[in-house]
Amino acid sequence: MSSPRLRVQFETLFEHYKGQDSGVQLEEITEILFCTRRNARIVLNKMEEEGWLEWHPAPGRGKLSQLNFKRSRADVSENLAKRYLEEGKIGQALKVLDHDSAKLAQVVEKYLGIVHQEGQQVVRLPYYRPLSNLNPFDQMRRSELHIAQQIFSGLTRIDEQEQLQADLAHTWEMVSSTHWRFYIRPSVRFHNGDLLTVENILDCLVALKQKTLFSHIERVESPGHLIVDVHLDRADYKLPLLLSESCAKITLPLESRADNFDELPIGTGPYRIVQNDQKRLVLQAFDGYFGFRPLLDRVEVWVIDEAHSSMVFPSLANPVRPETAEFSDEVELDPGCTLLMLNRKDGLAATNDWANYFSQKLTTLNLFQQLPQDKLAELGVLPAHGLKPGWYHHTKQGYTSPPSYRTVTIAYHGQHPMFPTLVKCIESLLKQDGLGVNLITYDQTVEETSAIDIWLKPMGISTNRDDALAGWLLNYSDIAALSKEEDFDYWAQLVRDWQATPNAAFPSKALGKSLAEKMQLIPMFHCWLGVSKDQCGSLQNAKCNALGWFDFSKVWVKPQLLEKDDGTE
């Protein structure tokens, strides 16, 4: 790739000769570029290789060589900006365009957003970090959860109206409260062409027993062709719903996986991965999908500079916020919140004195006042008074001093557009009381939770349903690792009682209230999620889901109508 210096040298020549083809001597070039004859030849040859100019040297001293310009200064800058864009370096692209964001928008438009490529409908989306771990059995962040839903299928799924639907199982029945039977679709294939087998499904269900949410699975078996029976050691009327969780997706058998399965997993969903690296994630519609084949042929998620990730639609790192207080279908608050989880097991907050101090010092309003006012719009956050929007978990008000002068260890995602700012505000509040602060950053999860006192975390629940808190609590909240055993047993029992009761409503508010009263967590902020219809252009059905993205398999590009020939001249 050409260097910025080479571009500057071209601009210098272009301005000197006013873009006009000229007869020149090499000595002129050396004086203009302040270099030797040898370097001048090298520079001219490189510019010719780039297609910027033609250089026809004349033999012999004193004779005029011919310099023909094939590109303008603006063309070269735009070309270089495009190359930087392909590498995800929007900051560098902006620099070569003299920080002209309007010019950059024109360049970006050709690469991000909706494009047509070799007859295919392609949507390119910007994102601020690589999406490196897409194994649904592992703990995943919000965006990875969304991508996994595009790649994998489960026995059941939650649709865009957040209703339970059939997926790999086309139907099911409850034989008893401890025995469920699922009937499997025939001839389903993985993205690599392998046939999905009942044995493969059985293996995935057995592996689920490692998850607290599914620890009551006693055994699984196949009593007949394309039939899967799940036997439980306690009553569960909600098993089909729970099997829609991301961790219950059916994956390729272990013996068939490549070493890079986490980055390039193979599923049976509507999209298959064709590329996933530090620059971009590329999803291609799977023609062999057992459901409706996606209308959108290809989705590319481009990893670009975080500082410029909001320059073009759709920007999922910098959500759209409503201009008024009115809610709409386009923009809504996330169904959970960003929270502070206290280590009530073996951290400072294991004592009520410390837990009470943290709960009163680090309230959402105290922290909100610490946020830089010029960043509030960029962060797109509102104070959270409960786990979900509209909830209010009453906590003690007032001020209490820290029990002693200690160093508080705080853990948070290192790659996150908002968390570094929030952590600085928390640090400032604690230092007001003379406390030291030790920060731990991580990429996926904390390996040793006993080393931390406060964990800044997003809930990352995937639907607005209240019963989504069941999977969050037992599967990926990490509350079990940071709570007192008797407290967690009570919260888990709330879930078990719900499972064991037909047609029972999920005890979401009781759970949220107890988590706050036990000072296990402190709700911090709700974030705006959404895609503005004004930004969608010809992209149809781009309705934001609870993960802040839209379902790729449900959107389509509205084609332009052909102009009618009315026969007139």
Side-chain angles (χ1 to χ4, degrees):
M1 179 176 178
S2 56
S3 67
R5 176 172 172 76
L6 188 65
R7 177 185 67 90
V8 171
Q9 290 171 321
F10 173 82
E11 291 176 350
T12 302
L13 289 176
F14 191 89
E15 289 176 3
H16 181 86
Y17 293 105
K18 296 181 173 56
Q20 301 296 314
D21 298 343
S22 306
V24 300
Q25 291 186 338
L26 189 60
E27 285 74 11
E28 289 181 41
I29 305 295
T30 62
E31 292 176 4
I32 295 169
L33 298 181
F34 299 102
C35 64
T36 64
R37 289 173 59 88
R38 179 176 178 275
N39 284 340
R41 290 193 186 96
I42 293 173
V43 168
L44 291 169
N45 287 334
K46 286 183 178 180
M47 291 180 186
E48 191 166 32
E49 289 174 6
E50 292 290 334
W52 298 349
L53 52 73
E54 290 179 350
W55 169 246
H56 301 287
R61 286 185 176 273
K63 294 186 177 181
L64 294 179
S65 300
Q66 186 63 31
L67 180 66
N68 299 332
F69 291 97
K70 298 178 66 177
R71 293 285 187 272
S72 69
R73 174 184 177 183
D75 289 339
V76 171
S77 297
E78 182 176 320
N79 186 56
L80 189 56
K82 288 177 182 178
R83 296 194 190 185
Y84 278 127
L85 183 61
E86 288 176 354
E87 294 186 357
K89 299 176 180 177
I90 285 193
Q92 303 242 36
L94 189 61
K95 184 177 180 180
V96 301
L97 293 172
D98 298 324
H99 296 277
D100 188 331
S101 57
K103 289 182 182 178
L104 180 62
Q106 293 175 357
V107 176
V108 165
E109 188 177 356
K110 298 177 183 178
Y111 281 87
L112 300 182
I114 302 167
V115 297
H116 293 272
Q117 191 175 48
E118 298 178 353
Q120 292 194 330
Q121 293 184 345
V122 181
V123 169
R124 291 171 174 165
L125 310 174
Y127 202 56
Y128 69 95
R129 62 176 176 83
L131 298 161
S132 55
N133 185 7
L134 298 171
N135 186 340
F137 199 75
D138 294 342
Q139 285 202 32
M140 291 190 292
R141 297 174 65 176
R142 183 195 298 267
S143 295
E144 281 83 350
L145 281 170
H146 172 76
I147 300 299
Q149 291 175 357
Q150 308 293 305
I151 301 168
F152 297 97
S153 309
L155 293 184
T156 62
R157 66 182 179 89
I158 299 294
D159 65 15
E160 58 269 27
Q161 280 77 44
E162 301 197 338
Q163 299 299 310
L164 182 66
Q165 300 291 347
D167 206 9
L168 291 174
H170 60 85
T171 191
W172 55 86
E173 61 182 339
M174 186 180 72
V175 180
S176 72
S177 62
T178 59
H179 180 191
W180 284 86
R181 177 164 292 161
F182 297 86
Y183 298 91
I184 308 303
R185 297 181 190 275
S187 303
V188 174
R189 291 191 178 274
F190 284 98
H191 299 151
N192 65 350
D194 290 356
L195 188 68
L196 172 68
T197 65
V198 167
E199 289 72 24
N200 183 195
I201 294 174
L202 296 178
D203 289 343
C204 289
L205 293 176
V206 168
L208 273 184
K209 296 172 65 174
Q210 303 173 34
K211 303 288 186 180
T212 305
L213 186 64
F214 297 101
S215 60
H216 60 312
I217 294 179
E218 188 176 73
R219 70 181 191 280
V220 294
E221 58 189 13
S222 179
H225 181 57
L226 294 175
I227 300 175
V228 169
D229 277 8
V230 180
H231 297 271
L232 310 169
D233 61 19
R234 57 179 171 81
D236 186 355
Y237 290 89
K238 311 300 191 304
L239 183 65
L241 174 64
L242 300 181
L243 286 174
S244 67
E245 287 282 331
S246 291
C247 66
K249 301 296 184 186
I250 304 303
T251 56
L252 201 66
L254 292 173
E255 61 273 14
S256 301
R257 298 180 185 180
D259 292 339
N260 60 351
F261 180 81
D262 288 354
E263 296 82 22
L264 296 169
I266 294 172
T268 59
Y271 283 95
R272 61 185 178 89
I273 298 180
V274 296
Q275 178 183 344
N276 189 19
D277 52 36
Q278 296 296 305
K279 292 182 180 179
R280 63 184 61 93
L281 166 70
V282 179
L283 303 176
Q284 186 73 34
F286 179 39
D287 291 333
Y289 179 52
F290 61 85
F292 290 116
R293 194 260 194 200
L295 297 174
L296 201 62
D297 297 297
R298 190 176 176 98
V299 177
E300 301 178 1
V301 182
W302 288 43
V303 180
I304 63 176
D305 297 4
E306 177 182 339
H308 304 285
S309 62
S310 61
M311 292 198 66
V312 292
F313 165 76
S315 174
L316 303 168
N318 188 18
V320 177
R321 292 164 298 280
E323 295 180 358
T324 68
E326 297 180 1
F327 291 89
S328 71
D329 292 337
E330 300 172 10
V331 183
E332 58 185 32
L333 291 171
D334 69 280
C337 68
T338 295
L339 52 83
L340 298 180
M341 190 178 301
L342 304 184
N343 188 348
R344 298 282 277 144
K345 184 176 183 179
D346 45 20
L348 288 176
T351 66
N352 287 339
D353 286 345
W354 272 104
N356 187 53
Y357 166 73
F358 289 140
S359 296
Q360 294 188 38
K361 185 68 176 181
L362 303 177
T363 65
T364 179
L365 294 180
N366 283 350
L367 192 54
F368 196 74
Q369 292 171 356
Q370 292 290 318
L371 289 173
Q373 294 301 303
D374 59 343
K375 281 203 168 188
L376 288 179
E378 177 185 336
L379 295 175
V381 295
L382 285 180
H385 300 286
L387 287 186
K388 294 174 70 68
W391 289 12
Y392 182 78
H393 302 316
H394 179 72
T395 56
K396 296 178 181 178
Q397 300 297 317
Y399 171 76
T400 180
S401 59
S404 59
Y405 295 103
R406 301 281 297 276
T407 296
V408 180
T409 300
I410 304 172
Y412 67 100
H413 278 303
Q415 285 187 310
H416 194 283
M418 179 174 63
F419 284 5
T421 300
L422 293 183
V423 166
K424 288 181 181 178
C425 296
I426 295 171
E427 184 177 17
S428 176
L429 284 171
L430 295 177
K431 285 186 174 180
Q432 288 177 3
D433 289 337
L435 298 175
V437 175
N438 177 41
L439 301 178
I440 297 176
T441 60
Y442 61 95
D443 292 329
Q444 296 296 333
T445 189
V446 174
E447 297 295 333
E448 182 53 59
T449 57
S450 62
I452 66 175
D453 300 306
I454 300 174
W455 196 345
L456 174 61
K457 287 177 65 72
M459 289 181 68
I461 55 179
S462 58
T463 75
N464 290 282
R465 297 172 59 111
D466 284 354
D467 50 36
L469 293 178
W472 167 75
L473 174 73
L474 298 181
N475 273 356
Y476 53 91
S477 68
D478 293 298
I479 288 177
L482 276 76
S483 62
K484 297 180 184 297
E485 186 175 346
E486 61 272 19
D487 289 341
F488 189 79
D489 286 346
Y490 169 72
W491 300 322
Q493 189 61 48
L494 287 176
V495 177
R496 289 193 290 267
D497 291 344
W498 165 72
Q499 291 174 269
T501 307
N503 304 316
F506 187 76
S508 55
K509 291 189 177 179
L511 175 61
K513 179 181 178 183
S514 180
L515 286 166
E517 288 180 346
K518 293 290 185 178
M519 297 181 288
Q520 181 62 60
L521 51 81
I522 308 170
M524 284 285 101
F525 299 107
H526 300 301
C527 298
W528 290 113
L529 303 174
V531 179
S532 171
K533 289 181 180 178
D534 293 336
Q535 293 175 299
C536 291
S538 57
L539 193 63
Q540 307 295 305
N541 202 32
K543 181 181 179 182
C544 178
N545 60 26
L547 291 168
W549 296 70
F550 53 83
D551 187 344
F552 303 149
S553 66
K554 298 295 188 295
V555 300
W556 58 288
V557 178
K558 190 173 184 177
Q560 293 182 345
L561 297 177
L562 296 175
E563 294 185 5
K564 292 183 179 180
D565 185 358
D566 58 6
T568 60
E569 293 297 329

